[in-house]
């Protein structure tokens, strides 16, 4: 269930379990029909916390290209990862 995986990933991010958070949000974002601005934004925040600059840039590019008008794309472009 993508909603469950998203919520679990969010909880794991807040608990500092970054690899597990990456795994669950990766499953959501691997399905184009399940991917949305929120799931890409969560993935970007996880990659940033992991220090994976390339992963962050790749996800950020997808976020801005697919959802340019979203609040998440605006936050990404402003570098406001902690909001």
């Amino acid at each position: 269930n993508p909603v469950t995986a998203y919520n679990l990933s969010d909880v794991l991010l807040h608990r500092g379990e970054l690899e597990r958070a990456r795994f669950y949000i990766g499953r959501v974002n691997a399905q184009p029909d399940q991917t949305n601005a929120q799931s890409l934004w969560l993935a970007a925040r996880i990659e940033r916390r992991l220090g994976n600059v390339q992963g962050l840039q790749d996800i950020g590019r997808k976020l801005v290209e697919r959802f340019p008008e979203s609040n998440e794309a605006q936050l990404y472009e402003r570098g406001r990862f902690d909001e």
Side-chain angles (χ1 to χ4, degrees):
N1 182 322
V3 173
T4 301
Y6 174 89
N7 287 327
L8 179 56
S9 184
D10 189 44
V11 168
L12 292 168
L13 169 63
H14 291 293
R15 290 178 54 181
E17 297 182 46
L18 302 176
E19 290 295 338
R20 288 184 66 206
R22 175 195 266 169
F23 172 78
Y24 286 105
I25 201 62
R27 292 181 68 181
V28 173
N29 288 332
Q31 303 297 320
D33 62 319
Q34 296 176 356
T35 303
N36 59 38
Q38 293 84 12
S39 67
L40 289 171
W41 178 236
L42 179 56
R45 291 172 37 225
I46 292 166
E47 295 303 321
R48 181 174 181 270
R49 290 268 309 268
L50 284 166
N52 181 1
V53 175
Q54 186 62 51
L56 171 61
Q57 291 173 343
D58 291 344
I59 293 166
R61 185 172 35 259
K62 288 178 192 175
L63 175 61
V64 171
E65 287 174 1
R66 291 189 62 193
F67 307 99
E69 301 300 319
S70 69
N71 290 332
E72 293 80 4
Q74 301 303 312
L75 290 169
Y76 173 78
E77 289 185 324
R78 291 183 181 116
R80 301 180 88 174
F81 293 93
D82 297 321
E83 293 184 19

